[in-house]
Amino acid sequence: QVQLVESGGGLVQAGGSLRLSCAASGRYFSNYVMGWFRRAPGKEREFVATISRSGGSTNYADSVKGRFTISRDNAKNTVYLQMNSLKPEDTAVYYCAARMLTRIEYDYWGQGTQVTVSS
């Protein structure tokens, strides 16, 4: 089992940047595929980005491709989401999540961190 705690959210102007972190406790962090999701007010939760166990493979939602970068440091049990060129439509609660490679669904979720982008 793994516990996830996000940090780094806040208020930023459009065009600005933020870096989210997700610290994982528990063992065998490198065994988990990690992902970032977000939920905007009044909308369903949506996929943002995912990263393989080694960090060698990443995938992004079209809406953030070229602006966001997911990375991980397995020595620090942490996954990051670098967000550049932020837009007001990026305003949401951002969640990190973990799943085993053999699973389709993400089994472990953090509590979320609020990102607000002002125009």
Side-chain angles (χ1 to χ4, degrees):
Q1 192 160 349
V2 61
Q3 292 79 45
L4 304 172
V5 179
E6 303 95 335
S7 61
L11 174 64
V12 63
Q13 288 189 331
S17 297
L18 280 175
R19 188 195 197 199
L20 305 184
S21 299
C22 173
S25 61
R27 302 178 71 181
Y28 309 120
F29 172 73
S30 60
N31 284 356
Y32 292 92
V33 174
M34 300 298 297
W36 284 97
F37 294 78
R38 66 187 182 186
R39 188 194 299 270
K43 295 188 177 181
E44 298 283 320
R45 184 175 64 198
E46 66 174 355
F47 165 76
V48 174
T50 188
I51 189 166
S52 63
R53 294 174 300 170
S54 68
S57 177
T58 58
N59 192 32
Y60 298 91
D62 287 343
S63 59
V64 307
K65 203 170 293 184
R67 300 188 298 122
F68 290 11
T69 303
I70 188 171
S71 62
R72 67 190 295 163
D73 185 337
N74 286 341
K76 296 183 178 180
N77 283 13
T78 302
V79 62
Y80 305 97
L81 186 68
Q82 178 67 45
M83 306 186 295
N84 298 329
S85 302
L86 282 161
K87 305 175 181 180
E89 51 264 43
D90 294 318
T91 294
V93 178
Y94 284 72
Y95 300 90
C96 71
R99 65 172 176 89
M100 297 296 289
L101 183 63
T102 53
R103 297 275 296 165
I104 296 175
E105 297 293 329
Y106 284 80
D107 294 310
Y108 305 103
W109 294 84
Q111 83 290 348
T113 187
Q114 176 70 47
V115 171
T116 302
V117 184
S118 63
S119 57

